Amino acid sequence: MTTLYERIGGEAAVDKAVDIFYDKIMADDRIKSFFENIDMFAQARKQKLFLTMVFGGPSDYTGKDMRSGHAGMGIDDSHFNAVVENLAATLAELGVSNDDIGEVAKIAESVRDDVLNR
């Protein structure tokens, strides 16, 4: 059995996905304000390491957990949904299968309460 990380194309695919994903985020009026005054190069690097880990690749992520990393940001369900929509659209654009996009959505849903600090 292969990991989600392997099925979507490994490091190169995750790197490309994160770059496209943040282009979509920065164009999305629903959520782009959360990323103002953020070092997007550093943010993308952390996101690549995080997604690699949660998709079953090498575990080199050393950042904050979801709850502490998003505490006090005022994120609600609509913002969370917008992020997941942009991630799904990115993966679809890269030719990731619907089954694998569904698996990514399940992973995201599993951290919803932590991201929303509830």
Side-chain angles (χ1 to χ4, degrees):
M1 177 183 252
T2 60
T3 64
L4 176 60
Y5 177 76
E6 293 166 325
R7 291 194 307 273
I8 67 172
E11 181 179 0
V14 171
D15 286 352
K16 187 171 185 178
V18 169
D19 292 341
I20 293 168
F21 170 69
Y22 278 122
D23 286 345
K24 290 182 183 309
I25 293 291
M26 298 309 290
D28 190 328
D29 290 335
R30 299 172 295 174
I31 51 179
K32 68 182 181 182
S33 64
F34 290 104
F35 297 90
E36 291 174 355
N37 303 314
I38 298 272
D39 177 347
M40 291 306 292
F41 179 80
Q43 179 67 26
R45 184 177 183 284
K46 286 188 291 187
Q47 185 71 284
K48 288 172 184 179
L49 291 171
F50 178 74
L51 290 178
T52 295
M53 177 187 69
V54 299
F55 291 171
S59 182
D60 296 322
Y61 179 74
T62 59
K64 296 179 180 179
D65 63 71
M66 292 296 98
R67 185 169 294 275
S68 60
H70 296 90
M73 293 181 66
I75 300 170
D76 65 25
D77 282 299
S78 69
H79 303 126
F80 186 90
N81 293 342
V83 169
V84 174
E85 288 169 23
N86 280 290
L87 183 55
T90 297
L91 296 173
E93 183 177 322
L94 293 173
V96 174
S97 74
N98 287 335
D99 287 345
D100 287 339
I101 293 171
E103 188 172 334
V104 170
K106 286 179 187 174
I107 292 167
E109 193 59 41
S110 75
V111 298
R112 179 185 291 267
D113 286 346
D114 288 334
V115 171
L116 301 180
N117 278 274
R118 55 183 184 201

